[in-house]
Amino acid sequence: MVEQVERPAAKCFEDLWIWRQARVLVRHVYGDTLDGSASARDFAFRDQIRRAAISVMNNIAEGFERGTDADFARFLGIAKASCGEVRSMYYLAEDCGYVEAPIAEERRRQTREISSGIATLIVHLRGAA
């Protein structure tokens, strides 16, 4: 029999693994779109992918701070959608030659992992409501 270990509830959004991973993603997106890179010269691309990545992180935080499971789940849904947008943007980045294929695939892997974590938390919150 596997022992169930009770994990303490997050006291703040910074305790959430998904928020910490979203923060890392934002850092990577900014690094991939720094001045001097091909993507930095495409202002629309750079601004869109940065906004989408920031949206993941900030919607997790804002939803947590709302204080209800229903509100949190709603904001997590927005964060998950933004995560998909970042993943899609990395296909474009690869196709346009803004990032090398291994970097694009690593970022897509990160977004899939974050998205999965968000989905799991949404299911938990909706089950608790």
Side-chain angles (χ1 to χ4, degrees):
M1 183 170 151
V2 177
E3 182 182 341
Q4 293 284 328
V5 177
E6 183 83 18
R7 283 196 242 167
K11 291 182 174 53
C12 59
F13 66 80
E14 294 94 340
D15 291 340
L16 297 170
W17 176 87
I18 55 173
W19 181 84
R20 291 192 310 269
Q21 292 306 304
R23 182 179 177 201
V24 169
L25 179 64
V26 170
R27 200 166 47 241
H28 287 158
V29 166
Y30 268 75
D32 294 341
T33 59
L34 286 175
D35 290 341
S37 66
S39 63
R41 293 187 296 277
D42 184 341
F43 299 113
F45 173 86
R46 183 194 65 201
D47 291 346
Q48 188 66 30
I49 196 169
R50 285 180 175 183
R51 276 196 304 269
I54 292 166
S55 176
V56 176
M57 187 174 127
N58 285 346
N59 276 293
I60 293 167
E62 185 174 352
F64 184 92
E65 294 294 328
R66 290 286 173 140
T68 69
D69 288 349
D71 276 345
F72 192 15
R74 186 169 60 84
F75 277 84
L76 287 173
I78 296 166
K80 189 174 183 312
S82 293
C83 205
E85 183 178 359
V86 174
R87 185 164 59 253
S88 179
M89 294 291 290
Y90 269 101
Y91 283 103
L92 178 59
E94 181 180 1
D95 292 347
C96 291
Y98 294 163
V99 295
E100 297 295 321
I103 292 171
E105 182 49 42
E106 173 58 20
R107 300 298 180 260
R108 290 190 295 262
R109 184 202 60 75
Q110 284 179 283
T111 59
R112 283 189 295 272
E113 196 170 85
I114 294 166
S115 186
S116 176
I118 291 170
T120 298
L121 185 51
I122 290 170
V123 167
H124 171 76
L125 290 168
R126 290 189 176 146

